[in-house]
Amino acid sequence: MPLPAIEFHPLTFVDERDGVVVGRPDTESYAVLPHDGAALLRRLADGHPADEAARWYLGEFGESVDIGDFVSTLRELGFVREGSQPTAAPPRLRMLRLGAWTFSPTAWVVHTALVTTCIAVMVTHPRVRPHSDVVFFTPSLVAVQLTLAFAQVPAVAWHEFFHVLAGRRLVLPTRLSVSRRLFFVVVEAHLDGLYSVPRKKRYLPFLAGMLADVLLFSTLTLVGAAGTGWAFRLALAIAYTVLLRLVWQFYLFLRTDLYYVFTTLLGCSDLHGATSAYLWRKASRLPGIRRPTTDSDSDSDADSAWSERDRQVAPWFALLTVGGVGLLLATAILALAPLLTGFVTRLGPALANGADDSARFWDSATSVALFALEFTLLILVSRREASRSRTDSR
């Protein structure tokens, strides 16, 4: 007696270099199947009974398949519609029009005009060009620390929101979430739905956050150029921090937005892991350096963990990784060091001459206390998270 046909939820199939990404967008469940496995799944999804699909697979590929095990795996992924379970309905998505307009030809004209105007203003008005002194928009160091710290949350949310809009432009269920990393508030965009579209459509969603940063920097710079009061100076201070976050995207070894653009362009799946393993193998040849215990003891076993494409590109991407580390050091020297120097040169005299200017003294003392509190909390929370991770791993 032939087995009944298996019913599936709506699935997407996207051909990749190393296989086919099969997914269920409504639950964001995705898996990479070999081309023959994806062909078998298509056969089942088209309504063919399991035993018939297994015979077809044998005739098509010359190998037998454990169809029961295959179907069990599909059930674990949530692809199979069980019993009376209703077929998954497409999620109701909002902001589809906003996403389409944000990246429409008209919007690109507006974006270009804004950025061009910003560049022209920076050329003609040296005062508004990015430099570390603009961060100190007020004599109060406490106000500088607290204001810029709280300003990062909406600025990062703006960056992530553009990722979501670019996804909604493709009618994908991209979304925002607010979570905690250590004791910092983190706003993140979930872009798993991009696995259901071809690679060429993923570039804009990956780059949308950087576009948002450029637009925000341009807008804040133009606001700062409009006057000299504290509000205008604050705009320039926030613009400087936005620029630093924009530069951060070029640190490819941190798996930034540009990292995903590169991996998509190069047809890789885990280029970071393959490059890390490659660099560790090279570094382990130096005296006194040992490979982490999580890595394989043999090069052949380590290579088997990555796709052929990842292994091919890893030596070249290692150069970009080293370049990213160099850029990080350059940023620390050219941007962060002057910023730290600015704090120190303002803290020192105020603390030394506290009796002559008690307001500045207490402001500086509070600023130092805030720095100390932040580092103390960072150490304590990091240790607690590490201890919790070790406990969970056991």
Side-chain angles (χ1 to χ4, degrees):
M1 180 178 179
L3 297 176
I6 301 172
E7 296 187 34
F8 291 86
H9 293 283
L11 301 176
T12 58
F13 295 80
V14 179
D15 289 328
E16 300 284 359
R17 186 186 299 267
D18 299 317
V20 179
V21 178
V22 182
R24 183 179 162 186
D26 62 306
T27 60
E28 297 184 340
S29 176
Y30 296 91
V32 179
L33 299 182
H35 292 283
D36 58 336
L40 177 59
L41 175 54
R42 286 181 187 273
R43 193 83 176 177
L44 292 170
D46 287 340
H48 295 276
D51 52 354
E52 179 185 323
R55 288 193 298 270
W56 170 86
Y57 183 91
L58 177 62
E60 185 74 14
F61 298 100
E63 296 180 359
S64 61
V65 61
D66 187 340
I67 194 66
D69 184 63
F70 184 72
V71 172
S72 177
T73 300
L74 298 178
R75 284 197 168 92
E76 291 177 1
L77 291 169
F79 293 169
V80 177
R81 187 165 73 88
E82 305 288 355
S84 59
Q85 184 181 13
T87 302
R92 295 181 179 179
L93 301 178
R94 300 178 180 179
M95 301 183 296
L96 296 181
R97 291 184 179 180
L98 179 59
W101 184 89
T102 302
F103 304 99
S104 66
T106 301
W108 281 111
V109 172
V110 175
H111 300 338
T112 303
L114 176 63
V115 176
T116 302
T117 304
C118 173
I119 294 174
V121 169
M122 287 193 295
V123 170
T124 56
H125 297 74
R127 176 181 66 86
V128 302
R129 297 173 188 171
H131 54 91
S132 59
D133 288 342
V134 300
V135 170
F136 303 99
F137 64 93
T138 175
S140 172
L141 297 179
V142 172
V144 169
Q145 288 174 257
L146 295 180
T147 302
L148 294 185
F150 284 109
Q152 300 314 302
V153 176
V156 172
W158 172 255
H159 173 105
E160 300 296 329
F161 182 60
F162 260 56
H163 285 305
V164 172
L165 286 181
R168 294 299 171 88
R169 170 178 168 269
L170 299 176
V171 197
L172 297 176
T174 50
R175 56 189 172 83
L176 282 179
S177 69
V178 180
S179 58
R180 177 183 64 86
R181 187 170 299 165
L182 297 179
F183 59 89
F184 300 103
V185 176
V186 178
V187 182
E188 295 179 307
H190 296 267
L191 304 176
D192 290 345
L194 291 179
Y195 289 119
S196 64
V197 300
R199 284 179 177 261
K200 64 181 180 180
K201 294 185 177 182
R202 301 174 193 172
Y203 296 114
L204 181 57
F206 286 144
L207 292 170
M210 295 182 66
L211 171 63
D213 290 337
V214 170
L215 296 178
L216 180 57
F217 172 83
S218 301
T219 301
L220 291 171
T221 299
L222 293 178
V223 171
T228 58
W230 72 267
F232 303 103
R233 296 195 301 271
L234 173 60
L236 293 177
I238 298 175
Y240 186 77
T241 63
V242 172
L243 181 62
L244 291 182
R245 278 203 314 276
L246 187 60
V247 173
W248 178 82
Q249 297 295 339
F250 290 86
Y251 306 153
L252 301 182
F253 64 96
L254 295 178
R255 284 182 281 193
T256 60
D257 294 345
L258 281 180
Y259 163 79
Y260 290 103
V261 171
F262 270 94
T263 56
T264 302
L265 180 64
L266 297 172
C268 299
S269 54
D270 187 10
L271 187 54
H272 177 269
T275 302
S276 298
Y278 172 82
L279 289 174
W280 272 114
R281 288 200 301 272
K282 295 298 183 182
S284 62
R285 299 175 183 176
L286 300 176
I289 297 181
R290 294 183 177 180
R291 194 180 305 180
T293 55
T294 54
D295 283 356
S296 175
D297 292 334
S298 67
D299 290 347
S300 59
D301 290 341
D303 285 340
S304 65
W306 324 113
S307 69
E308 178 64 26
R309 184 59 177 172
D310 287 333
R311 296 195 298 271
Q312 290 175 349
V313 178
W316 301 101
F317 195 75
L319 298 177
L320 292 179
T321 298
V322 174
V325 175
L327 179 60
L328 175 61
L329 296 176
T331 304
I333 295 173
L334 299 177
L336 298 182
L339 193 60
L340 181 60
T341 301
F343 267 101
V344 172
T345 55
R346 288 166 172 80
L347 282 171
L351 293 175
N353 303 315
D356 298 330
D357 191 346
S358 58
R360 290 188 61 194
F361 171 81
W362 287 112
D363 180 81
S364 298
T366 304
S367 177
V368 173
L370 287 176
F371 275 120
L373 177 62
E374 181 177 355
F375 281 107
T376 301
L377 287 176
L378 182 61
I379 293 173
L380 293 177
V381 176
S382 297
R383 288 182 174 179
R384 188 181 68 177
E385 295 291 335
S387 177
R388 182 179 300 172
S389 298
R390 287 193 297 269
T391 300
D392 293 340
S393 64
R394 292 172 185 171

